[in-house]
Amino acid sequence: MVQLDEAKLHSFIGKMLGDLGGAYSVPTVRIGLRLGLFTALQRAGPVTAAGLAAAAGGLTERYVREWALAQAANGYIDYDPSSEKFSLSPEQEMVFVNKDSPVYLEGAFELAAAMIEGEPKVEHAFRTGAGVRWGDSAGCLFCATGAFFRPGYVNNIVQNWLPALDGVEEKLFSGAKVADVGCGVGFSTILMAQAYPNASFVGYDFHQPSIDEANGHARSHGVDDRVTFVAATAKDVGERDFDLVTSFDCLHDMGDPRGCAAHMRRILKENGSWMIVEPIAGDHPAENMNPVGRLYYNASTMICVPTSLDQEVGEGLGAQAGEAKLSEVIRSGGFNQVKRVFTGPFNMVLEAR
């Protein structure tokens, strides 16, 4: 009989309490974000629960008080027991108020809720080996995914990722033709269009509701004269002669990433480039046993692998495929050069030519 190590048990229970506290915070944080409580606290604080309820538009004080105490216990807001007032630190504002902050996490909480909503369908897929179609697992998985990735795109696409490519920025400034394949709701495409007004952009995604939303975003941002969104799979893109193709956080979700790579090679000009942004990962699972890998493996179990297995071929790369595997897949499509050009805390950027 194995001897129980009491110290290890207590340490493990402590870890589980922390993890469960984080899980329990998902609905209360989502309520706070939707009702504007974090923003109201940023504007009015330090403030009592009654003051916060009033600042948020006349919410019920008793609910607001319990919510605020929950967030204080989470460590998401600050609480002064002597004055019974709540406040937000500048660091907390970066996570819960500043939508253009690189660490704004509203989308992460929405994604967590979408994974819970999709749990029965993914569990069924475990038993059958089938996939779960993108957008079918939860009411607005594609909205949550777009919101999750937006802060990273706002702070990196134009500032870091595109400049890291060989000679691409010059083409963009002078009027390149760009395809954003797997564009989702269009945040990435629109950010590029705003930064490079002489270039033209076509966003492609196989999910029609995402394309509908993307077209709405293009109109509201005033770039619909240079940005078009089309519902199509990666292998069905009909246009040719692109100077640049981009694929943001989507290659690993595709059922046939090798077929996608081959088609990207066909639609590019001879001197064109394909930029592939993927979740950061090591080439071996042991390298991904860290907080970022933990997030990606769990999301991959609930979203990425089921989505891929629902599609043609169903390779199921997963969100932690790693650079070596991704590069092998990309080269199989006819690209001679594949190199990592940028590494961040959450993503790596590969350039294929």
Side-chain angles (χ1 to χ4, degrees), residues 51-63:
L52 178 56
L59 299 177
T60 304
E61 185 274 339
R62 184 63 189 91
Y63 280 109

Side-chain angles (χ1 to χ4, degrees), residues 24-43:
Y24 284 17
S25 77
V26 170
T28 62
V29 167
R30 293 178 72 218
I31 287 172
L33 289 164
R34 286 197 301 271
L35 295 180
L37 281 161
F38 288 105
T39 301
L41 183 57
Q42 184 263 336
R43 291 173 178 167

Side-chain angles (χ1 to χ4, degrees), residues 6-322:
E6 292 289 341
K8 285 185 177 179
L9 175 61
H10 287 303
S11 176
F12 185 58
I13 293 300
K15 169 185 162 48
M16 293 307 301
L17 288 173
D19 290 352
L20 287 169
Y24 284 17
S25 77
V26 170
T28 62
V29 167
R30 293 178 72 218
I31 287 172
L33 289 164
R34 286 197 301 271
L35 295 180
L37 281 161
F38 288 105
T39 301
L41 183 57
Q42 184 263 336
R43 291 173 178 167
V47 68
T48 64
L52 178 56
L59 299 177
T60 304
E61 185 274 339
R62 184 63 189 91
Y63 280 109
V64 171
R65 181 174 184 273
E66 206 72 2
W67 176 89
L69 289 169
Q71 303 321 306
N74 287 335
Y76 298 167
I77 68 176
D78 292 333
Y79 174 61
D80 180 359
S82 61
S83 64
E84 296 189 345
K85 289 184 176 181
F86 302 91
S87 60
L88 272 176
S89 70
E91 296 76 21
Q92 291 161 344
E93 290 176 22
M94 292 281 284
V95 172
F96 294 113
V97 177
N98 183 357
K99 292 181 182 292
D100 288 340
S101 156
V103 291
Y104 182 68
L105 292 181
E106 178 178 11
F109 285 91
E110 293 300 322
L111 203 55
M115 286 192 280
I116 294 295
E117 186 181 342
E119 179 186 329
K121 293 181 180 180
V122 176
E123 181 180 341
H124 179 71
F126 267 71
R127 301 178 189 278
T128 65
V132 181
R133 185 157 301 171
W134 179 252
D136 280 1
S137 63
C140 200
L141 173 61
F142 66 97
C143 305
T145 302
F148 174 74
F149 285 119
R150 181 186 174 277
Y153 295 168
V154 166
N155 289 277
N156 284 289
I157 290 178
V158 174
Q159 299 90 329
N160 297 310
W161 298 345
L162 289 171
L165 304 178
D166 186 13
V168 167
E169 263 211 314
E170 292 85 349
K171 295 180 183 179
L172 289 166
F173 282 122
S174 62
K177 181 180 177 183
V178 182
D180 189 9
V181 176
C183 66
V185 296
F187 291 144
S188 54
T189 324
I190 291 168
L191 285 165
M192 291 189 289
Q194 290 172 325
Y196 305 104
N198 294 323
S200 62
F201 299 83
V202 186
Y204 297 96
D205 200 278
F206 76 152
H207 186 237
Q208 183 66 57
S210 292
I211 290 297
D212 294 340
E213 192 155 322
N215 277 313
H217 288 316
R219 288 190 295 272
S220 66
H221 286 84
V223 295
D224 51 325
D225 59 329
R226 293 182 296 107
V227 179
T228 306
F229 290 103
V230 178
T233 68
K235 295 191 295 183
D236 289 335
V237 174
E239 286 196 53
R240 296 291 192 275
D241 296 324
F242 289 100
D243 297 289
L244 172 67
V245 174
T246 59
S247 297
F248 295 94
D249 293 293
C250 63
L251 184 65
H252 67 273
D253 291 321
M254 295 182 183
D256 185 13
R258 298 172 191 274
C260 167
H263 195 60
M264 297 306 99
R265 182 68 188 85
R266 286 191 288 269
I267 68 175
L268 274 170
K269 289 181 179 177
E270 191 58 36
N271 64 344
S273 301
W274 182 22
M275 180 174 78
I276 306 100
V277 178
E278 282 287 303
I280 191 69
D283 292 323
H284 306 285
E287 299 173 61
N288 304 323
M289 299 296 120
N290 53 60
V292 174
R294 179 188 184 188
L295 290 175
Y296 281 138
Y297 273 130
N298 279 285
S300 189
T301 302
M302 299 304 294
I303 300 170
C304 308
V305 169
T307 294
S308 177
L309 295 185
D310 176 69
Q311 301 171 54
E312 179 187 12
V313 179
E315 181 151 337
L317 284 174
Q320 295 287 269

